[in-house]
Amino acid sequence: MVLRSEISRFLRTETVGGALLLVAAAGALLWVNSPWGDSYVAVTEALVPISPLHLELTVAEWTKDGLLAVFFFVAGLELKRELVVGELADRKRAALPILAAVGGVVVPAVLALGIGYGVDGMDRGWAIPVATDIAFALAVLALTGSRIPTTARVFLLSLAVVDDLIAIVLIAVLFTTSIGVGWLLAAAACFAAWAFAQHRRVRTPLLYVPLALLAWYALHEAGIHPTLAGVMCGLLTRVRPDPGEDEAPATRLEHLFQPVSAAVCVPLFALFASGVPLSTTVLGDLFTERLALAVVVGLLVGKTVGIFGMSWLTVRLGVARRPDGLGWRDMFALSVLGAIGFTVSLLVAELALATDVAAAELAKAAVLMTSMAASLLGSALLLRRGRAHGARQQSAAAGTSEGRAASGHGEGSSN
């Protein structure tokens, strides 16, 4: 019961966060394509330096490297909880979302690499369509899939968490060019201190906040994407409460940081990452340039086929079982929602195409348009499946009522 209420709370927060994300992205698109578009560029490229630490980052870079660390911290906490006490703790239940997430990464990557092979930036740009945006996808599911069994939400949440983990590993591997060993050891020392403090049941933020900031800075200086500090801190946090403890540290921290991540960090990142000038040239390039086609096909086709195909295969082979109450048409609708890339896909586009501004903007436009298409198509499928589930429930309820009436009539006759 406690776990179910935790999942319900998570879904409610991510639903609000998804709505704010959409508002922020729409605001960015309107702003940059308005007569005041120059001011958008000026704000995003404004330097906010911390001179003593030699950090010369723009507003957009602070939201990408700084605020998203909070998002990844929450993702790390959620992943740890799922692995220890959640859906992913049970091997049989974990098999389906884990393998579906793997299929949803491999197929888009193969398609993107095949379509964009030889295009500048695609040596790492193939990773752009591999991620599912958890907030956006859950928001669409909550808005249009209210009549779908709750197991759909648990499956999508588990899949997105595993998907995030794979994306995090890809970011660490693909976008680490040179490693500062000394700084890497410093980050490792911070993580070791975090783990030791958790083991010793230390609770004061006066220790954990400096450790997190130092780990972030050390990874930044080591040449590794600093948002990974958030993931590591989340994974090293205790998720089981001690006897007499009201809630575990991971639960406490999730209550504290998840609303901040959903309502502030992710929307601000979307605001400063989604400002793509949508000229007729860019819109035309979405259907002609191989870079854009690689992202569009990778997300919309690759994610859907990868998630659904792997789900079908694993269930048929007996490796996993389908979530209770869900048919294959429901699974297909959820697979379409998996094609909503957004947050992590935008981040990967910026990292992979950092040296080519025009290519980065085209890739981001492809991510935005494809995510919107996937959300609309997924919504239509969910609404249709919701009507089918509603009709089935009404039929079952009517059958139950008729059975009770017949039983009452029979008892009356016998009396």
Side-chain angles (χ1 to χ4, degrees), residues 29-30 62 122 168 257 287 294 304 306 312 339 344 358 393 405:
L29 287 172
L30 290 173
W62 274 115
M122 284 306 293
I168 288 162
F257 284 100
F287 304 99
T304 302
W312 183 87
V344 179
Q393 292 168 2

Side-chain angles (χ1 to χ4, degrees), residues 254-330:
E254 213 174 325
H255 288 166
L256 179 63
F257 284 100
Q258 191 175 6
V260 176
S261 171
V264 179
C265 298
V266 173
L268 280 177
F269 168 75
L271 178 65
F272 293 114
S274 304
V276 179
L278 296 178
S279 63
T280 53
T281 302
V282 172
L283 293 176
D285 288 346
L286 289 176
F287 304 99
T288 57
E289 292 292 327
R290 284 201 292 148
L291 171 62
L293 289 173
V295 175
V296 171
V297 175
L299 269 176
L300 197 56
V301 178
K303 293 293 285 187
T304 302
V305 171
I307 294 170
F308 182 78
M310 186 61 80
S311 298
W312 183 87
L313 184 62
T314 53
V315 171
R316 290 299 182 190
L317 292 177
V319 178
R321 59 184 177 84
R322 199 169 56 202
D324 296 336
L326 296 184
W328 285 117
R329 293 180 182 179
D330 300 316

